[in-house]
């Protein structure tokens, strides 16, 4: 019996995670502070959204929280978004390759790829939104301090 796309990718999760981490380290050297365990969880969530195996709402919430945490840590949103898009390219490539292997280009393959591209865009948007919101809140909290110091 042939595995589902989600199972196929889950069986390769460590390999895919290593590839994502390597690509980010190579392309966005300023953005290599995430631990392997964090990247693994993010890759697992994103792949589940890409394949349609998991509700994207829950995944988007996780990426919003990631963005907010990165903003609170002072991470530059440009580096953050670049790292997300770099990782997403790896995941899209892996999802497309797995889908082509399991479902030769058919309506199923096209559906899988539509899910993947749609999820990628929403995941990056949610994470950047979380980053920006947290950055605005942090800036608002700092404003009274700056005003009182003058």
């Amino acid at each position: 019996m042939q595995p589902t796309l989600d199972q196929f990718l889950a069986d390769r999760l460590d390999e895919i995670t290593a590839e994502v981490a390597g690509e980010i380290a190579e392309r966005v050297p300023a953005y290599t502070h995430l631990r392997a365990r964090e990247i693994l969880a993010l890759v697992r969530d994103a792949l589940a959204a890409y394949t349609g195996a998991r509700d994207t709402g829950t995944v988007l919430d996780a990426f919003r929280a990631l963005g907010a945490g990165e903003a609170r840590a002072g991470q530059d949103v440009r580096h953050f978004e670049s790292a997300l898009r770099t990782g997403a390219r790896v995941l899209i490539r892996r999802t497309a390759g797995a889908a082509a292997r399991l479902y030769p280009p058919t309506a199923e393959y096209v559906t899988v790829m539509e899910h993947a591209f749609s999820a990628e865009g929403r995941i990056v948007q949610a994470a950047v939104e979380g980053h920006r919101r947290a950055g605005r809140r942090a800036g608002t909290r700092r404003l009274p301090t700056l005003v009182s110091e003058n």
Side-chain angles (χ1 to χ4, degrees), residues 74-84 127-129 131-132:
Q75 295 297 325
D76 185 299
V77 71
R78 292 167 299 171
H79 294 149
F80 177 60
E81 185 173 3
S82 183
L84 287 168
V128 170
E129 176 185 309
H131 187 284
R132 287 190 176 132

Side-chain angles (χ1 to χ4, degrees), residues 8-143:
F8 184 86
L9 291 168
D11 290 345
R12 292 151 181 81
L13 195 56
D14 289 336
E15 173 187 323
I16 294 168
T17 299
E19 186 177 346
V20 166
E23 288 277 329
I24 290 171
E26 181 180 320
R27 295 177 186 265
V28 193
Y31 211 88
T32 57
H33 64 278
L34 289 178
R35 293 183 304 273
R37 186 176 56 224
E38 291 173 307
I39 294 173
L40 177 68
L42 296 169
V43 166
R44 183 180 51 244
D45 287 350
L47 284 174
Y50 284 16
T51 63
R54 190 157 163 220
D55 174 46
T56 55
T58 304
V59 173
L60 295 178
D61 288 343
F63 277 86
R64 279 187 194 97
L66 170 68
E70 294 301 290
R72 285 189 296 272
Q75 295 297 325
D76 185 299
V77 71
R78 292 167 299 171
H79 294 149
F80 177 60
E81 185 173 3
S82 183
L84 287 168
R85 292 195 184 280
T86 297
R89 277 193 296 276
V90 172
L91 298 183
I92 293 289
R93 185 172 57 241
R94 287 301 199 111
T95 302
R101 183 174 178 178
L102 296 174
Y103 316 115
T106 62
E108 283 179 318
Y109 177 83
V110 171
T111 299
V112 165
M113 294 315 302
E114 285 175 350
H115 273 289
F117 282 112
S118 176
E120 183 270 337
R122 290 185 304 197
I123 284 170
V124 170
Q125 180 181 4
V128 170
E129 176 185 309
H131 187 284
R132 287 190 176 132
R133 283 183 184 171
R136 282 194 300 265
R137 282 192 293 267
T140 302
R141 284 190 299 264
R142 284 191 301 253
L143 184 59

